[in-house]
């Protein structure tokens, strides 16, 4: 929770404003594509030309990592802690975990400001995730179209677009979809907003998604336009990622309730050694984020970013909270975690025998967040 001395007007809680007050910057841009460095080395992701992510490049890179006769599979566990004041309706985050085509995961964060209009923000995020999963698996309203598909569809941005276009309920949400591309031994992902993910190899960051925001605390987000919002961001504004994977790689995905409260260095210490430890790791990471969220003295990523944007305590609170340390006078600074819904998904990459080809509707979900209420 942000230090109570900070006036609400001093920090832009744009995510929590009434929807009618939101004004999106409708700047259509070519979405960025990111690729991890080659399997032979480690490094942060770099922006690359679109052609680097073609199937021949991915196949050449991943062939070195996957044993003959094997394909990669995500072994995923989830942990979800709703905001303490939102437990009675299940919070506003949503997620899904599916076995389809080697594994798909998705997270979405409903915008809390809709409560002020008498709307349950969870309705939008949950519907968005249900439809994104249905698009990829070829079920529900997409069953007829999927009947003409040949093989597994790998299209996380298409899933975001299809879900956005068909979610016709009041609300808005950020969203991130990550999908295993077994044919190329790669992870494909599409992210819009400030939910996101990190891929870890041998205890080090391989690539991490970038939050997309209009300005501090106002992320890009989907909404039902023109039915319920004045404007909306769209799937073609999402960042795309393509990462060649190896067995043993670990993916951590989550909503901003995780990333606003935990630094990556701490998350790395809680990762599992093998797939059987994924659930314990997800629970431990979520619990750590909740602990930090309720600590008013914690220098969280959220308040650090606020300070970098020039947002701080008013001068009288800085004076009242001043202290002497090391023989010097220190004025109090903005500190504290950000109480929020916390969703954590931990996926361990495993090598399994080549499966029988999947058809539309195969690959039922391992787990899913609660149905809309």
């Amino acid at each position: 929770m942000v230090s109570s001395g900070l006036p609400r007007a001093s920090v832009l809680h744009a995510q929590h404003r009434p929807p009618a007050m939101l004004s999106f910057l409708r700047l259509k841009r070519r979405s960025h594509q990111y690729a991890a460095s080659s399997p032979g080395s480690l490094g942060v992701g770099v922006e690359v030309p679109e052609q680097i992510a073609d199937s021949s490049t991915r196949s050449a890179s991943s062939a070195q990592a996957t044993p003959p006769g094997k394909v990669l599979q995500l072994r995923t566990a989830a942990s979800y802690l709703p905001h303490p004041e939102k437990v009675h309706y299940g919070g506003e985050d949503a997620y899904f975990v599916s076995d389809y085509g080697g594994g798909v995961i998705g997270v979405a964060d409903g915008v809390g400001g809709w409560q002020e209009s008498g709307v349950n923000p969870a309705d939008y995020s949950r519907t968005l995730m249900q439809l994104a999963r249905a698009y990829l698996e070829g079920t529900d309203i997409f069953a007829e179209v999927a009947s003409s598909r040949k093989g597994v569809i790998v299209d996380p941005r298409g899933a975001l677009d299809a879900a956005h276009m068909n979610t016709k309920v009041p609300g808005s949400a950020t969203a991130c979809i990550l999908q295993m591309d077994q044919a190329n031994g790669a992870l494909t992902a599409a992210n819009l907003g400030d939910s996101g993910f990190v891929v870890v190899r041998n205890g080090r960051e391989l690539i991490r998604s970038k939050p997309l925001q209009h300005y501090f605390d106002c992320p890009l987000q989907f909404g039902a336009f023109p039915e319920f919002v004045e404007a909306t961001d769209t799937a073609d504004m999402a960042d795309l990622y393509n990462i060649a994977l190896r067995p043993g790689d670990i993916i951590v995905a989550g909503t901003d309730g995780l990333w606003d409260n935990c630094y990556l260095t701490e998350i790395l210490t809680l990762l599992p050694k093998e797939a059987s430890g994924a659930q314990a790791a997800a629970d431990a990471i979520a619990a750590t984020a909740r602990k930090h969220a309720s600590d008013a003295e914690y220098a969280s990523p959220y308040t650090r970013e606020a300070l970098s944007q020039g947002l701080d305590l008013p001068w009288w609170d800085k004076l009242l909270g001043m202290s002497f340390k090391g023989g010097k006078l220190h004025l109090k600074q903005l500190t504290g975690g950000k109480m929020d819904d916390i969703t954590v998904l931990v996926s361990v990459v495993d090598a399994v025998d080549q499966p029988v080809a999947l058809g539309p509707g195969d690959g039922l979900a391992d787990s899913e967040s609660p149905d809309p209420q």
Side-chain angles (χ1 to χ4, degrees), residues 24-39:
F24 297 117
L25 303 179
R26 300 291 307 285
L27 299 178
K28 292 294 181 182
R29 58 180 176 82
R30 185 177 182 84
S31 61
H32 293 119
Q33 294 221 7
Y34 299 87
S37 53
S38 66

Side-chain angles (χ1 to χ4, degrees), residues 30-233:
R30 185 177 182 84
S31 61
H32 293 119
Q33 294 221 7
Y34 299 87
S37 53
S38 66
S41 61
L42 290 175
V44 297
V46 294
E47 186 175 340
V48 295
E50 185 171 0
Q51 60 266 27
I52 199 170
D54 66 22
S55 60
S56 60
T57 302
R58 292 195 301 260
S59 297
S61 297
S62 62
Q64 304 173 28
T66 307
K70 301 283 187 177
V71 292
L72 300 181
Q73 173 86 33
L74 299 183
R75 306 293 190 188
T76 303
S79 186
Y80 177 44
L81 299 176
H83 189 297
E85 297 177 1
K86 303 172 183 179
V87 173
H88 63 287
Y89 64 87
E92 296 157 2
D93 283 1
Y95 73 88
F96 73 89
V97 178
S98 170
D99 283 336
Y100 175 78
V104 190
I105 60 178
V107 292
D109 182 3
V111 175
W114 286 89
Q115 282 186 320
E116 300 175 26
S117 301
V119 172
N120 182 350
D123 290 349
Y124 190 91
S125 59
R126 292 173 184 171
T127 303
L128 190 76
M129 288 292 94
Q130 289 168 355
L131 289 174
R133 172 191 161 197
Y135 169 82
L136 291 170
E137 293 187 341
T139 60
D140 200 359
I141 63 173
F142 304 106
E144 184 174 350
V145 174
S147 63
S148 61
R149 292 178 183 169
K150 295 182 179 179
V152 174
I153 181 173
V154 179
D155 189 11
R157 183 165 67 175
L160 287 180
D161 185 52
H164 180 211
M165 293 297 99
N166 288 281
T167 300
K168 299 301 182 182
V169 297
S172 49
T174 67
C176 182
I177 302 289
L178 302 95
Q179 183 176 13
M180 174 63 74
D181 177 1
Q182 283 187 322
N184 297 297
L187 180 74
T188 61
N191 181 61
L192 186 128
D194 56 4
S195 294
F197 68 94
V198 62
V199 179
V200 177
R201 178 174 297 162
N202 297 327
R204 296 172 58 192
E205 173 189 334
L206 180 64
I207 191 168
R208 183 175 179 179
S209 63
K210 297 183 177 181
L212 299 180
Q213 301 185 93
H214 292 300
Y215 48 87
F216 176 67
D217 217 18
C218 183
L220 274 64
Q221 57 198 254
F222 295 116
F225 172 81
E227 293 86 353
F228 300 107
V229 296
E230 297 174 353
T232 182
D233 298 313

